[in-house]
Amino acid sequence: MVDFDNVDAIREAAEGTEQYLEDLRGQFIKRRDNMREQVHVMSRSHEAVKSQLARSETQKELESVEKRLKYHEQTIFTLREFIETRGRETDYQTVKAECVKVTEELNKMHRMAM
């Protein structure tokens, strides 16, 4: 409780802290404003490069090739699905095995009966 006896010292410390914090706040505001300006400049630069790229003939060709690749990928995917579906529909190996098994059992039964 000794600290509270000297009110003037506490006020001076508070004022010093307040001034220090105000200085920091001012520095951070300047930093923020500088960063906003830098971001604005970089955004303008980015937009300029982006528009230049959009006008580029190479970019147009790349976009065209990309669209064709997407189309071909989709076609390949569709064909693979179709082939897998048809393969499952025409998979007669299990039916064949079942028929062979039944035929063998019938032959055994027929031999036993004779």
Side-chain angles (χ1 to χ4, degrees):
M1 289 297 199
V2 177
D3 291 340
F4 293 115
D5 291 339
N6 192 353
V7 175
D8 291 333
I10 294 173
R11 282 191 182 142
E12 286 180 23
E15 288 173 4
T17 303
E18 182 181 6
Q19 184 61 40
Y20 172 74
L21 292 175
E22 285 294 326
D23 291 343
L24 279 179
R25 183 173 181 263
Q27 290 175 6
F28 289 136
I29 288 172
K30 286 180 186 177
R31 280 188 191 176
R32 180 197 65 194
D33 294 342
N34 288 337
M35 291 300 292
R36 282 184 180 169
E37 181 62 31
Q38 287 178 359
V39 167
H40 184 66
V41 169
M42 295 302 286
S43 292
R44 282 187 288 177
S45 173
H46 178 261
E47 289 300 322
V49 170
K50 195 169 147 183
S51 66
Q52 181 183 5
L53 181 63
R55 291 189 307 263
S56 170
E57 197 62 37
T58 305
Q59 174 65 19
K60 291 176 184 176
E61 289 176 21
L62 283 173
E63 286 177 356
S64 173
V65 169
E66 187 177 354
K67 285 180 184 177
R68 280 186 285 162
L69 280 174
K70 285 181 182 179
Y71 172 76
H72 290 306
E73 286 176 4
Q74 185 177 11
T75 303
I76 289 169
F77 178 76
T78 304
L79 288 173
R80 280 188 181 152
E81 278 191 334
F82 177 76
I83 290 169
E84 286 178 21
T85 303
R86 287 295 179 171
R88 279 186 253 120
E89 289 175 358
T90 58
D91 183 20
Y92 296 110
Q93 294 299 322
T94 54
V95 174
K96 176 185 168 187
E98 184 84 22
C99 288
V100 169
K101 183 179 172 184
V102 169
T103 305
E104 288 174 356
E105 287 178 13
L106 287 173
N107 282 337
K108 281 182 188 178
M109 290 170 57
H110 181 61
R111 282 187 216 149
M112 295 249 188
M114 290 182 112

